[in-house]
Every structure is written in C-alpha cells, then in structure tokens.
Amino acid sequence: MNLAAVDLNLLTAFEALLEERNVTRAGRRIGLAQPSMSSALTRLRALFGDELFIRTAAGMQPTARALALARPIGEALAQIRATLAPDTDFEPATARRRLTIAVTDYGDLVVVPALVALLRQEAPGIDLVVRPIADAAASLATLERGDVDALIGGHLPGSPRIVRRTLFEEDFVCLRDKGHAAPLTPDDYVRLPHVLFSSAGGDGSPGVVDAILAAEGRRRRVAVTLAHVVAVPFAVAGTDLVATMARRVAGRLAAIAGVTLMPLPYDTPPFAIDLLHSRRAASDPALAWFLAAIERVGRAL
C-alpha cells in the first residue's frame, strides 16, 4: 500500500466508529457531518476491502476484520497524538488532579491501600475516587466512555478499545478456624462444609476449583454464601467451615478474624490481577504517571 495515497484522517474516523457504533455520533465526535462520515466509511471499506461495520438494530457492529484492526490502529493513533502533543512536564508533587478508578473487592482490599499511600507520599494534590465494580461489563463501558480512568481487578472483560496490563498473578488458599490447623486433604475438602463469597465482578471466586472437582466426579457443599468477601474469614472463625480465597486477601484478614491459612489440596492455575485503561493516557501526562504508579504498586505486592 502506498501510504502517501492514504488519507490518515480515515483512521480517526475508524476509531470514532469503533467507539461510538453510530455514524452520526462518530461524525459529531470528530467534527464531520453525517454525509461526510458516511463517505469516510465508504472509503474505509474500500481501503481495507471489508464491510468493517454492519448496521444492526443494536448499532453499527464491527466485523472480525474491524476488531483485528482496532488495536494496531489505536496504538498508531496514540503514538501520533503523543508525538504531536505539547511537551508538558508533569510534576506529581505539585499537581492538582482528580482521578477515578473502579475496583473489585479484591482491588479495594489489596491494591487501593498501597496506591493511596503512594499518592499521599508522592502526589498529595491528586484526589482519588474509588468506585466498586458490581457489574464488570457495565464498568468496562464506563471506562470506554471516559467516566472512570482505570479498572483494577481479576477476571475483567476486555475490549479492543481498552489497554490491559497485568499487575501481578494471584492464587488460592484455604481458610479454617485456628482450632483446625491440620492440612486439608482432597477428601477433607469435599467432606467439609464451605463458605463462599459470591458477588458479580468479585475476585477470588473458586469456580475453577469446582471445575476440577467436577472432572473427578466430586462436588463440595456450599453451606454459606456471602455477598462481601471481607465477611468470609469471620464466618469461618469458630466454626467447622472452610473457605477458598485469593491469597493476598486472605493474608490481610486472617489474623484479624482469628483464622489460619493452609494450602488448597488441589492444583489450580494462578489468575491475573489486571489494570485496564483507555488509550488516551498516551496524550495525558498526569494519567500516564498515575497508571505507572499503579504498576509500581502492583510490582511491590
């Protein structure tokens, strides 16, 4: 392809269509009238030899080709914007800014305290708003709209418009009352009653363990289901219950609740705790610094 013959403004039209899924709104976003935006879509289709966006009752839905193009085009535009952006230094020690993140229960307990400590030390003028992730898909939509600056947690859905960075990996442990200190065997695990945290978007759900048990033709009994992860170790304390939790959450709560940690008697794969953010960080020095700060916190955990 002869790059000199390509109108690079078509790439911004592609990006707007991918994010808005509506020709009129996409045109408004980049300053084009509806007929001009329709013309840009026609030219995009000719450029890439694909329909790219198909009109449906739910809006303009991207084709597989459009989804495959989303990341490289987004990254290319981000690099161009960063290159052309004014060279503005960001000084965290004196900066004034309000930033908003949404986190799972796991992120609230494990990542946020360390992030707050870092901000108070290095950027005390930055105000942080933390929202809960009750519905992961809905929270992803708020990130795509720019209502929040980042999402933090495990098992979060992805999007071609969003950047995902893995902060660290987590695994599972078991919790029991301190009066039951003997290591659990696989037979113990299915014989004993369990307490389970179950909340939409919550981390540490041991569904992977249930799949392993099912493959062996076994099943555990969930005697208690709780809506808040912080309540789980306190339900275990003083009872015969066993709980399966993410290691870092369990470690923070075990001493307070009076429970003990022990290995899970099944091999389970670790899961990632991720940071999700939009591509606009490339042209926003304050947001770029903030995201890098979150990554520093993750590496220290």
Side-chain angles (χ1 to χ4, degrees):
M1 181 181 291
N2 180 7
L3 189 60
V6 177
D7 181 358
L8 296 183
N9 288 318
L10 291 177
L11 301 186
T12 63
F14 174 88
E15 182 184 57
L17 282 165
L18 188 69
E19 296 189 359
E20 297 293 343
R21 310 292 172 95
N22 179 280
V23 172
T24 301
R25 289 200 306 270
R28 189 181 304 125
R29 175 170 176 161
I30 60 174
L32 292 180
Q34 196 273 341
S36 297
M37 192 66 194
S38 294
S39 175
L41 177 56
T42 299
R43 294 168 64 196
L44 278 166
R45 285 167 169 165
L47 178 64
F48 290 107
D50 188 85
E51 280 293 295
L52 296 179
F53 298 93
I54 299 173
R55 193 180 303 278
T56 71
M60 301 292 287
Q61 295 303 308
T63 64
R65 173 69 167 151
L67 292 175
L69 289 167
R71 180 170 181 175
I73 288 178
E75 291 176 348
L77 289 174
Q79 289 181 359
I80 292 171
R81 288 171 180 138
T83 301
L84 298 177
D87 187 12
T88 303
D89 291 332
F90 172 70
E91 295 292 342
T94 57
R96 300 287 300 178
R97 182 75 177 264
R98 187 180 186 87
L99 294 164
T100 302
I101 62 175
V103 301
T104 59
D105 292 65
Y106 180 99
D108 226 353
L109 286 166
V110 176
V111 180
V112 169
L115 178 60
V116 169
L118 184 149
L119 291 177
R120 298 312 304 158
Q121 180 176 0
E122 297 186 16
I126 290 183
D127 298 329
L128 180 65
V129 177
V130 181
R131 298 177 182 171
I133 295 179
D135 181 314
S139 291
L140 182 65
T142 66
L143 179 61
E144 292 176 323
R145 291 195 304 267
D147 295 338
V148 300
D149 297 298
L151 306 182
I152 301 173
H155 314 299
L156 296 176
S159 162
R161 291 168 279 179
I162 295 301
V163 177
R164 180 188 299 269
R165 308 186 198 181
T166 295
L167 295 177
F168 53 86
E169 289 192 331
E170 180 61 283
D171 62 353
F172 295 118
V173 294
C174 290
L175 273 67
R176 293 217 69 195
D177 178 71
K178 285 188 174 180
H180 303 281
L184 290 168
T185 67
D187 288 340
D188 293 333
Y189 191 81
V190 294
R191 175 180 56 81
L192 292 166
H194 288 248
V195 55
L196 175 67
F197 159 60
S198 179
S199 176
D203 291 309
S205 170
V208 63
V209 178
D210 294 311
I212 291 172
L213 292 175
E216 296 184 0
R218 311 185 84 179
R219 183 178 179 182
R220 62 179 176 161
R221 174 196 166 205
V222 177
V224 180
T225 303
L226 300 173
H228 301 286
V229 68
V230 72
V232 171
F234 295 94
V236 169
T239 73
D240 61 342
L241 292 167
V242 59
T244 305
M245 294 183 68
R247 181 182 300 276
R248 288 175 177 85
V249 172
R252 280 158 175 73
L253 299 175
I256 302 171
V259 297
T260 187
L261 275 59
M262 56 186 60
L264 181 68
Y266 289 90
D267 290 330
T268 57
F271 62 94
I273 300 300
D274 294 324
L275 165 66
L276 275 60
H277 64 86
S278 70
R279 302 184 189 281
R280 65 187 174 88
S283 57
D284 185 337
L287 181 55
W289 179 90
F290 177 66
L291 296 173
I294 295 174
E295 289 193 293
R296 280 194 285 146
V297 166
R299 288 194 296 269
L301 293 172

